[in-house]
């Protein structure tokens, strides 16, 4: 397994754990907003 594959798996796991943590703390709306804004900004900057 390559390093990039392991890195990809770790990033996906971190994203899922962040979502679980947001649900537990009752901040799911803020989490969704940040994910949407982050995706939009990422596409604009790295286009």
């Amino acid at each position: 397994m390559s390093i990039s594959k392991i890195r990809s798996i770790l990033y996906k796991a971190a994203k899922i754990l962040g979502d679980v943590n947001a649900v537990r703390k009752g901040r799911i709306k803020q989490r969704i907003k940040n994910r949407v804004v982050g995706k939009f900004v990422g596409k604009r900057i790295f286009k």
Side-chain angles (χ1 to χ4, degrees):
M1 189 179 281
S2 67
I3 291 175
S4 64
K5 185 73 170 175
I6 294 169
R7 181 176 166 215
S8 176
I9 291 168
L10 289 174
Y11 274 119
K12 287 177 185 175
K15 189 164 59 168
I16 291 169
L17 289 174
D19 291 344
V20 169
N21 193 36
V23 169
R24 285 180 48 200
K25 291 187 176 191
R27 298 180 182 160
I28 192 67
K29 289 181 184 177
Q30 182 181 2
R31 176 77 176 172
I32 292 170
K33 181 191 77 154
N34 288 341
R35 294 259 308 260
V36 170
V37 169
K39 188 172 280 197
F40 178 76
V41 170
K43 286 183 179 181
R44 288 289 177 194
I45 291 175
F46 298 112
K47 190 171 183 182

